[in-house]
Amino acid sequence: MRGKPVPFEKEIFVSQPMMPPLEKFHKRLSDVWESKWLTNLGVQHITLEDKLRGILKVNYLALCNNGTSALLLALKALDIGGEVITTPFTFPATVNALTFLGIRPVFCDIDPITFNINPARIESLITPQTSAILGVHVFGNICDTESIQKIADQHHLKVIYDAAHAFGVEVNGKGVGTLGDISTFSFHATKLFHTAEGGAISFNDEFLYHKMYLLKNFGIESEDEVVLPGINAKMNEIQAALGLEVCELIEDEIAIRKKLADRYVERLADVEGLILPLFDDAHIKRNYQYMNIQIDKLVFGCSRDDLYNGLKEFNVFSRKYFYPLCSSYEWNAGLESARETHLIVASKVVNEILILPLHGALRIDDIDKICDMVLYVKKVKHDES
Ligand code: T4K
């Protein structure tokens, strides 16, 4: 261990959006200006939807204005009501979408390795009111979709996956968005692929395409007909134009992220008390959206929060995704399924996970420095105790 690392001059964040060359974006914007068509499913929108359907290897795709709308539209499209079994370890959007629609979330504990909803715990939570299972592929780790589907089929439940972290992830060569009845994506600026704000819904049932269109466009069927209570969740032409340019950068970005993630693993794999992500499953094509590490305080000698605060002093802004658990929000805490005694794994993991910076603007040297900082904070905290 060398001496105290020198802090970064500028802040280093967990993510940084891919920024296409401004001239190329400008050229595309000129086309938009020329057309005087800014939203309502214009040329950019149609082109992006087509392109992403190919990149994501999905059967049907509907773009929308963000990942949260995508969840709302998915739930509405499948007429989900009553209770939905879901994970407490996710971004607020997943569970808030249920509550927002008057659906009761039923929290299911998570798997200690993937951090995803644990199928072994699902069946005991099913009641006559259960209508669906809402899984999240947290940090791009794929849920145990086979076991979930088996349970859903036995109990006639719908399956929705929040694939906000799983853009481009493939399982045995199949796009992640083909799993379950519907998957939702977020194209927020912090995501691997982005349109500044944006999202999409993928599905296998052709019938849903028209319904999605209605749901995101006020339910307007024609000038004379409004056929369902839809909202406005359309992606506009400027977002879509940006997305088309960002598409060109994805492959290189993933390749860079892979190298950086491999470097993290090389540097940190042998550190006792640190558990690193599973990057080497031959069946999965990963996207390296997040670099999550799990800290076993007793073995590592320093808590997750100490490391988070320690890194800040070096200008490294890691994140505690997803703290706190959704089950602990004031409006959920009274639910029977939200009791900590039912969520043993999630309650532990939520205090142990830290996301380290991982994006294409970083270099191997930066990763080495961040690893030196991690080891330095560990040593200082350990010596203090
Ligand atoms: N489901 C799941 C599982 C999700 O994780 C999310 C969103 C959703 C659904 C909903 O999708 P959207 O409705 O958002 O499309 C960020 C994102 O805002 C959020 O989209 C994302 N998940 C979540 C995991 O991360 P915050 O609160 O961490 O954002 P913020 O502003 O602190 O950004 C994180 C870091 O990124 C900053 O430290 C700096 C950097 N950054 C951020 C922005 C906005 C940039 O470099 N440039 C930027 O423009 O939620």
mmCIF file with all atom_site columns, all heavy atoms in Angstrom, residues 90-91 136-141 162-167 169 184-186 191 287-290 321-322:
data_model
loop_
_atom_site.group_PDB
_atom_site.id
_atom_site.type_symbol
_atom_site.label_atom_id
_atom_site.label_alt_id
_atom_site.label_comp_id
_atom_site.label_asym_id
_atom_site.label_entity_id
_atom_site.label_seq_id
_atom_site.pdbx_PDB_ins_code
_atom_site.Cartn_x
_atom_site.Cartn_y
_atom_site.Cartn_z
_atom_site.occupancy
_atom_site.B_iso_or_equiv
_atom_site.pdbx_formal_charge
_atom_site.auth_seq_id
_atom_site.auth_comp_id
_atom_site.auth_asym_id
_atom_site.auth_atom_id
_atom_site.pdbx_PDB_model_num
ATOM 1   N N   . THR A 1 90  ? -34.756 -1.533 -4.864  1.00 0.00 ? 90  THR A N   1
ATOM 2   C CA  . THR A 1 90  ? -34.807 -0.916 -6.188  1.00 0.00 ? 90  THR A CA  1
ATOM 3   C C   . THR A 1 90  ? -34.926 0.591  -6.046  1.00 0.00 ? 90  THR A C   1
ATOM 4   O O   . THR A 1 90  ? -35.128 1.124  -4.944  1.00 0.00 ? 90  THR A O   1
ATOM 5   C CB  . THR A 1 90  ? -35.988 -1.497 -7.012  1.00 0.00 ? 90  THR A CB  1
ATOM 6   O OG1 . THR A 1 90  ? -35.992 -0.898 -8.318  1.00 0.00 ? 90  THR A OG1 1
ATOM 7   C CG2 . THR A 1 90  ? -37.330 -1.242 -6.354  1.00 0.00 ? 90  THR A CG2 1
ATOM 8   N N   . PHE A 1 91  ? -34.811 1.287  -7.176  1.00 0.00 ? 91  PHE A N   1
ATOM 9   C CA  . PHE A 1 91  ? -35.008 2.740  -7.215  1.00 0.00 ? 91  PHE A CA  1
ATOM 10  C C   . PHE A 1 91  ? -36.488 3.016  -6.898  1.00 0.00 ? 91  PHE A C   1
ATOM 11  O O   . PHE A 1 91  ? -37.353 2.199  -7.239  1.00 0.00 ? 91  PHE A O   1
ATOM 12  C CB  . PHE A 1 91  ? -34.650 3.221  -8.622  1.00 0.00 ? 91  PHE A CB  1
ATOM 13  C CG  . PHE A 1 91  ? -34.485 4.708  -8.759  1.00 0.00 ? 91  PHE A CG  1
ATOM 14  C CD1 . PHE A 1 91  ? -33.486 5.386  -8.086  1.00 0.00 ? 91  PHE A CD1 1
ATOM 15  C CD2 . PHE A 1 91  ? -35.328 5.432  -9.599  1.00 0.00 ? 91  PHE A CD2 1
ATOM 16  C CE1 . PHE A 1 91  ? -33.323 6.756  -8.234  1.00 0.00 ? 91  PHE A CE1 1
ATOM 17  C CE2 . PHE A 1 91  ? -35.169 6.802  -9.756  1.00 0.00 ? 91  PHE A CE2 1
ATOM 18  C CZ  . PHE A 1 91  ? -34.166 7.464  -9.072  1.00 0.00 ? 91  PHE A CZ  1
ATOM 19  N N   . VAL A 1 136 ? -37.031 -6.739 -10.886 1.00 0.00 ? 136 VAL A N   1
ATOM 20  C CA  . VAL A 1 136 ? -36.093 -5.727 -11.400 1.00 0.00 ? 136 VAL A CA  1
ATOM 21  C C   . VAL A 1 136 ? -34.764 -6.436 -11.645 1.00 0.00 ? 136 VAL A C   1
ATOM 22  O O   . VAL A 1 136 ? -34.297 -7.165 -10.770 1.00 0.00 ? 136 VAL A O   1
ATOM 23  C CB  . VAL A 1 136 ? -35.878 -4.592 -10.370 1.00 0.00 ? 136 VAL A CB  1
ATOM 24  C CG1 . VAL A 1 136 ? -34.932 -3.530 -10.920 1.00 0.00 ? 136 VAL A CG1 1
ATOM 25  C CG2 . VAL A 1 136 ? -37.202 -3.969 -9.953  1.00 0.00 ? 136 VAL A CG2 1
ATOM 26  N N   . HIS A 1 137 ? -34.182 -6.244 -12.816 1.00 0.00 ? 137 HIS A N   1
ATOM 27  C CA  . HIS A 1 137 ? -32.854 -6.819 -13.082 1.00 0.00 ? 137 HIS A CA  1
ATOM 28  C C   . HIS A 1 137 ? -31.826 -5.841 -12.485 1.00 0.00 ? 137 HIS A C   1
ATOM 29  O O   . HIS A 1 137 ? -31.186 -5.059 -13.219 1.00 0.00 ? 137 HIS A O   1
ATOM 30  C CB  . HIS A 1 137 ? -32.619 -6.997 -14.578 1.00 0.00 ? 137 HIS A CB  1
ATOM 31  C CG  . HIS A 1 137 ? -33.667 -7.820 -15.284 1.00 0.00 ? 137 HIS A CG  1
ATOM 32  N ND1 . HIS A 1 137 ? -33.994 -9.107 -14.903 1.00 0.00 ? 137 HIS A ND1 1
ATOM 33  C CD2 . HIS A 1 137 ? -34.460 -7.554 -16.367 1.00 0.00 ? 137 HIS A CD2 1
ATOM 34  C CE1 . HIS A 1 137 ? -34.921 -9.593 -15.715 1.00 0.00 ? 137 HIS A CE1 1
ATOM 35  N NE2 . HIS A 1 137 ? -35.233 -8.661 -16.603 1.00 0.00 ? 137 HIS A NE2 1
ATOM 36  N N   . VAL A 1 138 ? -31.677 -5.891 -11.185 1.00 0.00 ? 138 VAL A N   1
ATOM 37  C CA  . VAL A 1 138 ? -30.863 -4.883 -10.484 1.00 0.00 ? 138 VAL A CA  1
ATOM 38  C C   . VAL A 1 138 ? -29.393 -4.945 -10.935 1.00 0.00 ? 138 VAL A C   1
ATOM 39  O O   . VAL A 1 138 ? -28.807 -6.025 -10.991 1.00 0.00 ? 138 VAL A O   1
ATOM 40  C CB  . VAL A 1 138 ? -30.958 -5.105 -8.955  1.00 0.00 ? 138 VAL A CB  1
ATOM 41  C CG1 . VAL A 1 138 ? -29.999 -4.204 -8.209  1.00 0.00 ? 138 VAL A CG1 1
ATOM 42  C CG2 . VAL A 1 138 ? -32.379 -4.840 -8.480  1.00 0.00 ? 138 VAL A CG2 1
ATOM 43  N N   . PHE A 1 139 ? -28.844 -3.809 -11.224 1.00 0.00 ? 139 PHE A N   1
ATOM 44  C CA  . PHE A 1 139 ? -27.451 -3.657 -11.681 1.00 0.00 ? 139 PHE A CA  1
ATOM 45  C C   . PHE A 1 139 ? -27.163 -4.509 -12.935 1.00 0.00 ? 139 PHE A C   1
ATOM 46  O O   . PHE A 1 139 ? -26.023 -4.918 -13.181 1.00 0.00 ? 139 PHE A O   1
ATOM 47  C CB  . PHE A 1 139 ? -26.440 -4.020 -10.580 1.00 0.00 ? 139 PHE A CB  1
ATOM 48  C CG  . PHE A 1 139 ? -26.699 -3.358 -9.249  1.00 0.00 ? 139 PHE A CG  1
ATOM 49  C CD1 . PHE A 1 139 ? -26.476 -4.036 -8.049  1.00 0.00 ? 139 PHE A CD1 1
ATOM 50  C CD2 . PHE A 1 139 ? -27.161 -2.057 -9.184  1.00 0.00 ? 139 PHE A CD2 1
ATOM 51  C CE1 . PHE A 1 139 ? -26.713 -3.427 -6.824  1.00 0.00 ? 139 PHE A CE1 1
ATOM 52  C CE2 . PHE A 1 139 ? -27.398 -1.437 -7.958  1.00 0.00 ? 139 PHE A CE2 1
ATOM 53  C CZ  . PHE A 1 139 ? -27.176 -2.132 -6.776  1.00 0.00 ? 139 PHE A CZ  1
ATOM 54  N N   . GLY A 1 140 ? -28.230 -4.828 -13.681 1.00 0.00 ? 140 GLY A N   1
ATOM 55  C CA  . GLY A 1 140 ? -28.045 -5.639 -14.901 1.00 0.00 ? 140 GLY A CA  1
ATOM 56  C C   . GLY A 1 140 ? -27.968 -7.132 -14.623 1.00 0.00 ? 140 GLY A C   1
ATOM 57  O O   . GLY A 1 140 ? -27.780 -7.927 -15.549 1.00 0.00 ? 140 GLY A O   1
ATOM 58  N N   . ASN A 1 141 ? -28.099 -7.564 -13.352 1.00 0.00 ? 141 ASN A N   1
ATOM 59  C CA  . ASN A 1 141 ? -28.163 -9.009 -13.044 1.00 0.00 ? 141 ASN A CA  1
ATOM 60  C C   . ASN A 1 141 ? -29.561 -9.499 -13.420 1.00 0.00 ? 141 ASN A C   1
ATOM 61  O O   . ASN A 1 141 ? -30.548 -8.901 -13.005 1.00 0.00 ? 141 ASN A O   1
ATOM 62  C CB  . ASN A 1 141 ? -27.985 -9.278 -11.539 1.00 0.00 ? 141 ASN A CB  1
ATOM 63  C CG  . ASN A 1 141 ? -26.612 -8.887 -11.040 1.00 0.00 ? 141 ASN A CG  1
ATOM 64  O OD1 . ASN A 1 141 ? -25.656 -8.910 -11.802 1.00 0.00 ? 141 ASN A OD1 1
ATOM 65  N ND2 . ASN A 1 141 ? -26.524 -8.520 -9.780  1.00 0.00 ? 141 ASN A ND2 1
ATOM 66  N N   . ASP A 1 162 ? -38.664 -4.733 -14.705 1.00 0.00 ? 162 ASP A N   1
ATOM 67  C CA  . ASP A 1 162 ? -38.079 -3.407 -14.797 1.00 0.00 ? 162 ASP A CA  1
ATOM 68  C C   . ASP A 1 162 ? -36.629 -3.628 -15.229 1.00 0.00 ? 162 ASP A C   1
ATOM 69  O O   . ASP A 1 162 ? -35.791 -4.078 -14.427 1.00 0.00 ? 162 ASP A O   1
ATOM 70  C CB  . ASP A 1 162 ? -38.173 -2.717 -13.423 1.00 0.00 ? 162 ASP A CB  1
ATOM 71  C CG  . ASP A 1 162 ? -37.567 -1.328 -13.417 1.00 0.00 ? 162 ASP A CG  1
ATOM 72  O OD1 . ASP A 1 162 ? -36.744 -1.033 -14.306 1.00 0.00 ? 162 ASP A OD1 1
ATOM 73  O OD2 . ASP A 1 162 ? -37.896 -0.549 -12.499 1.00 0.00 ? 162 ASP A OD2 1
ATOM 74  N N   . ALA A 1 163 ? -36.370 -3.356 -16.510 1.00 0.00 ? 163 ALA A N   1
ATOM 75  C CA  . ALA A 1 163 ? -35.039 -3.604 -17.076 1.00 0.00 ? 163 ALA A CA  1
ATOM 76  C C   . ALA A 1 163 ? -34.266 -2.295 -17.230 1.00 0.00 ? 163 ALA A C   1
ATOM 77  O O   . ALA A 1 163 ? -33.442 -2.146 -18.134 1.00 0.00 ? 163 ALA A O   1
ATOM 78  C CB  . ALA A 1 163 ? -35.181 -4.319 -18.419 1.00 0.00 ? 163 ALA A CB  1
ATOM 79  N N   . ALA A 1 164 ? -34.548 -1.350 -16.328 1.00 0.00 ? 164 ALA A N   1
ATOM 80  C CA  . ALA A 1 164 ? -33.904 -0.028 -16.415 1.00 0.00 ? 164 ALA A CA  1
ATOM 81  C C   . ALA A 1 164 ? -32.379 -0.129 -16.446 1.00 0.00 ? 164 ALA A C   1
ATOM 82  O O   . ALA A 1 164 ? -31.715 0.724  -17.030 1.00 0.00 ? 164 ALA A O   1
ATOM 83  C CB  . ALA A 1 164 ? -34.347 0.849  -15.244 1.00 0.00 ? 164 ALA A CB  1
ATOM 84  N N   . HIS A 1 165 ? -31.825 -1.167 -15.815 1.00 0.00 ? 165 HIS A N   1
ATOM 85  C CA  . HIS A 1 165 ? -30.357 -1.295 -15.755 1.00 0.00 ? 165 HIS A CA  1
ATOM 86  C C   . HIS A 1 165 ? -29.833 -2.291 -16.783 1.00 0.00 ? 165 HIS A C   1
ATOM 87  O O   . HIS A 1 165 ? -28.649 -2.627 -16.746 1.00 0.00 ? 165 HIS A O   1
ATOM 88  C CB  . HIS A 1 165 ? -29.906 -1.804 -14.382 1.00 0.00 ? 165 HIS A CB  1
ATOM 89  C CG  . HIS A 1 165 ? -30.384 -0.978 -13.247 1.00 0.00 ? 165 HIS A CG  1
ATOM 90  N ND1 . HIS A 1 165 ? -30.208 -1.324 -11.931 1.00 0.00 ? 165 HIS A ND1 1
ATOM 91  C CD2 . HIS A 1 165 ? -31.046 0.205  -13.228 1.00 0.00 ? 165 HIS A CD2 1
ATOM 92  C CE1 . HIS A 1 165 ? -30.746 -0.409 -11.148 1.00 0.00 ? 165 HIS A CE1 1
ATOM 93  N NE2 . HIS A 1 165 ? -31.262 0.529  -11.915 1.00 0.00 ? 165 HIS A NE2 1
ATOM 94  N N   . ALA A 1 166 ? -30.690 -2.797 -17.628 1.00 0.00 ? 166 ALA A N   1
ATOM 95  C CA  . ALA A 1 166 ? -30.292 -3.960 -18.438 1.00 0.00 ? 166 ALA A CA  1
ATOM 96  C C   . ALA A 1 166 ? -30.333 -3.679 -19.938 1.00 0.00 ? 166 ALA A C   1
ATOM 97  O O   . ALA A 1 166 ? -30.536 -4.604 -20.727 1.00 0.00 ? 166 ALA A O   1
ATOM 98  C CB  . ALA A 1 166 ? -31.170 -5.150 -18.073 1.00 0.00 ? 166 ALA A CB  1
ATOM 99  N N   . PHE A 1 167 ? -30.089 -2.449 -20.324 1.00 0.00 ? 167 PHE A N   1
ATOM 100 C CA  . PHE A 1 167 ? -30.085 -2.126 -21.751 1.00 0.00 ? 167 PHE A CA  1
ATOM 101 C C   . PHE A 1 167 ? -29.034 -2.988 -22.468 1.00 0.00 ? 167 PHE A C   1
ATOM 102 O O   . PHE A 1 167 ? -27.857 -2.985 -22.097 1.00 0.00 ? 167 PHE A O   1
ATOM 103 C CB  . PHE A 1 167 ? -29.764 -0.643 -21.976 1.00 0.00 ? 167 PHE A CB  1
ATOM 104 C CG  . PHE A 1 167 ? -29.837 -0.251 -23.427 1.00 0.00 ? 167 PHE A CG  1
ATOM 105 C CD1 . PHE A 1 167 ? -30.997 0.280  -23.953 1.00 0.00 ? 167 PHE A CD1 1
ATOM 106 C CD2 . PHE A 1 167 ? -28.750 -0.452 -24.274 1.00 0.00 ? 167 PHE A CD2 1
ATOM 107 C CE1 . PHE A 1 167 ? -31.079 0.614  -25.300 1.00 0.00 ? 167 PHE A CE1 1
ATOM 108 C CE2 . PHE A 1 167 ? -28.824 -0.121 -25.623 1.00 0.00 ? 167 PHE A CE2 1
ATOM 109 C CZ  . PHE A 1 167 ? -29.991 0.413  -26.133 1.00 0.00 ? 167 PHE A CZ  1
ATOM 110 N N   . VAL A 1 169 ? -28.571 -6.110 -22.493 1.00 0.00 ? 169 VAL A N   1
ATOM 111 C CA  . VAL A 1 169 ? -28.195 -7.387 -21.864 1.00 0.00 ? 169 VAL A CA  1
ATOM 112 C C   . VAL A 1 169 ? -28.902 -8.517 -22.616 1.00 0.00 ? 169 VAL A C   1
ATOM 113 O O   . VAL A 1 169 ? -30.054 -8.383 -23.028 1.00 0.00 ? 169 VAL A O   1
ATOM 114 C CB  . VAL A 1 169 ? -28.581 -7.387 -20.367 1.00 0.00 ? 169 VAL A CB  1
ATOM 115 C CG1 . VAL A 1 169 ? -28.388 -8.768 -19.751 1.00 0.00 ? 169 VAL A CG1 1
ATOM 116 C CG2 . VAL A 1 169 ? -27.755 -6.346 -19.614 1.00 0.00 ? 169 VAL A CG2 1
ATOM 117 N N   . THR A 1 184 ? -39.538 -3.010 -19.077 1.00 0.00 ? 184 THR A N   1
ATOM 118 C CA  . THR A 1 184 ? -39.453 -1.554 -19.222 1.00 0.00 ? 184 THR A CA  1
ATOM 119 C C   . THR A 1 184 ? -37.999 -1.096 -19.129 1.00 0.00 ? 184 THR A C   1
ATOM 120 O O   . THR A 1 184 ? -37.196 -1.694 -18.403 1.00 0.00 ? 184 THR A O   1
ATOM 121 C CB  . THR A 1 184 ? -40.275 -0.843 -18.131 1.00 0.00 ? 184 THR A CB  1
ATOM 122 O OG1 . THR A 1 184 ? -39.725 -1.170 -16.849 1.00 0.00 ? 184 THR A OG1 1
ATOM 123 C CG2 . THR A 1 184 ? -41.739 -1.259 -18.171 1.00 0.00 ? 184 THR A CG2 1
ATOM 124 N N   . PHE A 1 185 ? -37.684 -0.049 -19.868 1.00 0.00 ? 185 PHE A N   1
ATOM 125 C CA  . PHE A 1 185 ? -36.311 0.482  -19.907 1.00 0.00 ? 185 PHE A CA  1
ATOM 126 C C   . PHE A 1 185 ? -36.326 1.971  -19.553 1.00 0.00 ? 185 PHE A C   1
ATOM 127 O O   . PHE A 1 185 ? -37.318 2.660  -19.814 1.00 0.00 ? 185 PHE A O   1
ATOM 128 C CB  . PHE A 1 185 ? -35.715 0.323  -21.309 1.00 0.00 ? 185 PHE A CB  1
ATOM 129 C CG  . PHE A 1 185 ? -35.499 -1.118 -21.709 1.00 0.00 ? 185 PHE A CG  1
ATOM 130 C CD1 . PHE A 1 185 ? -36.504 -1.831 -22.348 1.00 0.00 ? 185 PHE A CD1 1
ATOM 131 C CD2 . PHE A 1 185 ? -34.302 -1.763 -21.428 1.00 0.00 ? 185 PHE A CD2 1
ATOM 132 C CE1 . PHE A 1 185 ? -36.313 -3.159 -22.701 1.00 0.00 ? 185 PHE A CE1 1
ATOM 133 C CE2 . PHE A 1 185 ? -34.103 -3.087 -21.781 1.00 0.00 ? 185 PHE A CE2 1
ATOM 134 C CZ  . PHE A 1 185 ? -35.107 -3.796 -22.421 1.00 0.00 ? 185 PHE A CZ  1
ATOM 135 N N   . SER A 1 186 ? -35.213 2.418  -18.982 1.00 0.00 ? 186 SER A N   1
ATOM 136 C CA  . SER A 1 186 ? -35.041 3.853  -18.731 1.00 0.00 ? 186 SER A CA  1
ATOM 137 C C   . SER A 1 186 ? -33.914 4.361  -19.617 1.00 0.00 ? 186 SER A C   1
ATOM 138 O O   . SER A 1 186 ? -32.859 3.728  -19.695 1.00 0.00 ? 186 SER A O   1
ATOM 139 C CB  . SER A 1 186 ? -34.651 4.096  -17.267 1.00 0.00 ? 186 SER A CB  1
ATOM 140 O OG  . SER A 1 186 ? -34.076 5.381  -17.123 1.00 0.00 ? 186 SER A OG  1
ATOM 141 N N   . LYS A 1 191 ? -28.069 6.556  -17.612 1.00 0.00 ? 191 LYS A N   1
ATOM 142 C CA  . LYS A 1 191 ? -28.092 5.177  -18.097 1.00 0.00 ? 191 LYS A CA  1
ATOM 143 C C   . LYS A 1 191 ? -27.106 4.988  -19.253 1.00 0.00 ? 191 LYS A C   1
ATOM 144 O O   . LYS A 1 191 ? -26.750 5.955  -19.938 1.00 0.00 ? 191 LYS A O   1
ATOM 145 C CB  . LYS A 1 191 ? -29.508 4.797  -18.559 1.00 0.00 ? 191 LYS A CB  1
ATOM 146 C CG  . LYS A 1 191 ? -30.523 4.786  -17.434 1.00 0.00 ? 191 LYS A CG  1
ATOM 147 C CD  . LYS A 1 191 ? -30.137 3.781  -16.372 1.00 0.00 ? 191 LYS A CD  1
ATOM 148 C CE  . LYS A 1 191 ? -31.178 3.645  -15.283 1.00 0.00 ? 191 LYS A CE  1
ATOM 149 N NZ  . LYS A 1 191 ? -31.516 4.887  -14.585 1.00 0.00 ? 191 LYS A NZ  1
ATOM 150 N N   . ASN A 1 287 ? -23.800 -5.477 -19.755 1.00 0.00 ? 287 ASN A N   1
ATOM 151 C CA  . ASN A 1 287 ? -23.680 -4.112 -20.296 1.00 0.00 ? 287 ASN A CA  1
ATOM 152 C C   . ASN A 1 287 ? -22.797 -3.191 -19.433 1.00 0.00 ? 287 ASN A C   1
ATOM 153 O O   . ASN A 1 287 ? -22.543 -2.072 -19.817 1.00 0.00 ? 287 ASN A O   1
ATOM 154 C CB  . ASN A 1 287 ? -25.064 -3.470 -20.462 1.00 0.00 ? 287 ASN A CB  1
ATOM 155 C CG  . ASN A 1 287 ? -25.751 -3.216 -19.136 1.00 0.00 ? 287 ASN A CG  1
ATOM 156 O OD1 . ASN A 1 287 ? -25.228 -3.555 -18.060 1.00 0.00 ? 287 ASN A OD1 1
ATOM 157 N ND2 . ASN A 1 287 ? -26.925 -2.620 -19.184 1.00 0.00 ? 287 ASN A ND2 1
ATOM 158 N N   . TYR A 1 288 ? -22.374 -3.684 -18.272 1.00 0.00 ? 288 TYR A N   1
ATOM 159 C CA  . TYR A 1 288 ? -21.499 -2.907 -17.385 1.00 0.00 ? 288 TYR A CA  1
ATOM 160 C C   . TYR A 1 288 ? -22.105 -1.544 -17.030 1.00 0.00 ? 288 TYR A C   1
ATOM 161 O O   . TYR A 1 288 ? -21.441 -0.518 -17.023 1.00 0.00 ? 288 TYR A O   1
ATOM 162 C CB  . TYR A 1 288 ? -20.091 -2.759 -17.992 1.00 0.00 ? 288 TYR A CB  1
ATOM 163 C CG  . TYR A 1 288 ? -19.501 -4.112 -18.273 1.00 0.00 ? 288 TYR A CG  1
ATOM 164 C CD1 . TYR A 1 288 ? -19.645 -4.725 -19.520 1.00 0.00 ? 288 TYR A CD1 1
ATOM 165 C CD2 . TYR A 1 288 ? -18.863 -4.827 -17.260 1.00 0.00 ? 288 TYR A CD2 1
ATOM 166 C CE1 . TYR A 1 288 ? -19.164 -5.994 -19.763 1.00 0.00 ? 288 TYR A CE1 1
ATOM 167 C CE2 . TYR A 1 288 ? -18.381 -6.104 -17.502 1.00 0.00 ? 288 TYR A CE2 1
ATOM 168 C CZ  . TYR A 1 288 ? -18.534 -6.672 -18.751 1.00 0.00 ? 288 TYR A CZ  1
ATOM 169 O OH  . TYR A 1 288 ? -18.067 -7.926 -18.978 1.00 0.00 ? 288 TYR A OH  1
ATOM 170 N N   . GLN A 1 289 ? -23.401 -1.555 -16.754 1.00 0.00 ? 289 GLN A N   1
ATOM 171 C CA  . GLN A 1 289 ? -24.095 -0.324 -16.357 1.00 0.00 ? 289 GLN A CA  1
ATOM 172 C C   . GLN A 1 289 ? -23.558 0.195  -15.016 1.00 0.00 ? 289 GLN A C   1
ATOM 173 O O   . GLN A 1 289 ? -23.335 1.391  -14.856 1.00 0.00 ? 289 GLN A O   1
ATOM 174 C CB  . GLN A 1 289 ? -25.597 -0.617 -16.260 1.00 0.00 ? 289 GLN A CB  1
ATOM 175 C CG  . GLN A 1 289 ? -26.434 0.434  -15.570 1.00 0.00 ? 289 GLN A CG  1
ATOM 176 C CD  . GLN A 1 289 ? -26.665 1.675  -16.426 1.00 0.00 ? 289 GLN A CD  1
ATOM 177 O OE1 . GLN A 1 289 ? -27.366 1.636  -17.408 1.00 0.00 ? 289 GLN A OE1 1
ATOM 178 N NE2 . GLN A 1 289 ? -26.068 2.779  -16.036 1.00 0.00 ? 289 GLN A NE2 1
ATOM 179 N N   . TYR A 1 290 ? -23.395 -0.707 -14.053 1.00 0.00 ? 290 TYR A N   1
ATOM 180 C CA  . TYR A 1 290 ? -22.932 -0.273 -12.724 1.00 0.00 ? 290 TYR A CA  1
ATOM 181 C C   . TYR A 1 290 ? -21.795 -1.147 -12.216 1.00 0.00 ? 290 TYR A C   1
ATOM 182 O O   . TYR A 1 290 ? -21.735 -2.335 -12.517 1.00 0.00 ? 290 TYR A O   1
ATOM 183 C CB  . TYR A 1 290 ? -24.081 -0.363 -11.705 1.00 0.00 ? 290 TYR A CB  1
ATOM 184 C CG  . TYR A 1 290 ? -25.164 0.661  -11.940 1.00 0.00 ? 290 TYR A CG  1
ATOM 185 C CD1 . TYR A 1 290 ? -26.433 0.271  -12.331 1.00 0.00 ? 290 TYR A CD1 1
ATOM 186 C CD2 . TYR A 1 290 ? -24.912 2.020  -11.779 1.00 0.00 ? 290 TYR A CD2 1
ATOM 187 C CE1 . TYR A 1 290 ? -27.440 1.210  -12.559 1.00 0.00 ? 290 TYR A CE1 1
ATOM 188 C CE2 . TYR A 1 290 ? -25.901 2.960  -12.007 1.00 0.00 ? 290 TYR A CE2 1
ATOM 189 C CZ  . TYR A 1 290 ? -27.162 2.553  -12.395 1.00 0.00 ? 290 TYR A CZ  1
ATOM 190 O OH  . TYR A 1 290 ? -28.138 3.483  -12.621 1.00 0.00 ? 290 TYR A OH  1
ATOM 191 N N   . TYR A 1 321 ? -26.802 3.046  -3.976  1.00 0.00 ? 321 TYR A N   1
ATOM 192 C CA  . TYR A 1 321 ? -28.019 2.472  -4.581  1.00 0.00 ? 321 TYR A CA  1
ATOM 193 C C   . TYR A 1 321 ? -28.277 1.106  -3.968  1.00 0.00 ? 321 TYR A C   1
ATOM 194 O O   . TYR A 1 321 ? -27.359 0.300  -3.898  1.00 0.00 ? 321 TYR A O   1
ATOM 195 C CB  . TYR A 1 321 ? -27.876 2.306  -6.086  1.00 0.00 ? 321 TYR A CB  1
ATOM 196 C CG  . TYR A 1 321 ? -27.727 3.589  -6.863  1.00 0.00 ? 321 TYR A CG  1
ATOM 197 C CD1 . TYR A 1 321 ? -26.865 3.658  -7.952  1.00 0.00 ? 321 TYR A CD1 1
ATOM 198 C CD2 . TYR A 1 321 ? -28.443 4.725  -6.529  1.00 0.00 ? 321 TYR A CD2 1
ATOM 199 C CE1 . TYR A 1 321 ? -26.736 4.827  -8.688  1.00 0.00 ? 321 TYR A CE1 1
ATOM 200 C CE2 . TYR A 1 321 ? -28.315 5.903  -7.263  1.00 0.00 ? 321 TYR A CE2 1
ATOM 201 C CZ  . TYR A 1 321 ? -27.455 5.945  -8.338  1.00 0.00 ? 321 TYR A CZ  1
ATOM 202 O OH  . TYR A 1 321 ? -27.320 7.111  -9.060  1.00 0.00 ? 321 TYR A OH  1
ATOM 203 N N   . PHE A 1 322 ? -29.465 0.714  -3.483  1.00 0.00 ? 322 PHE A N   1
ATOM 204 C CA  . PHE A 1 322 ? -30.650 1.529  -3.420  1.00 0.00 ? 322 PHE A CA  1
ATOM 205 C C   . PHE A 1 322 ? -31.058 1.674  -1.975  1.00 0.00 ? 322 PHE A C   1
ATOM 206 O O   . PHE A 1 322 ? -31.793 0.854  -1.461  1.00 0.00 ? 322 PHE A O   1
ATOM 207 C CB  . PHE A 1 322 ? -31.781 0.894  -4.236  1.00 0.00 ? 322 PHE A CB  1
ATOM 208 C CG  . PHE A 1 322 ? -31.498 0.990  -5.701  1.00 0.00 ? 322 PHE A CG  1
ATOM 209 C CD1 . PHE A 1 322 ? -31.030 -0.103 -6.397  1.00 0.00 ? 322 PHE A CD1 1
ATOM 210 C CD2 . PHE A 1 322 ? -31.653 2.197  -6.347  1.00 0.00 ? 322 PHE A CD2 1
ATOM 211 C CE1 . PHE A 1 322 ? -30.759 0.010  -7.738  1.00 0.00 ? 322 PHE A CE1 1
ATOM 212 C CE2 . PHE A 1 322 ? -31.385 2.297  -7.700  1.00 0.00 ? 322 PHE A CE2 1
ATOM 213 C CZ  . PHE A 1 322 ? -30.921 1.205  -8.392  1.00 0.00 ? 322 PHE A CZ  1
#
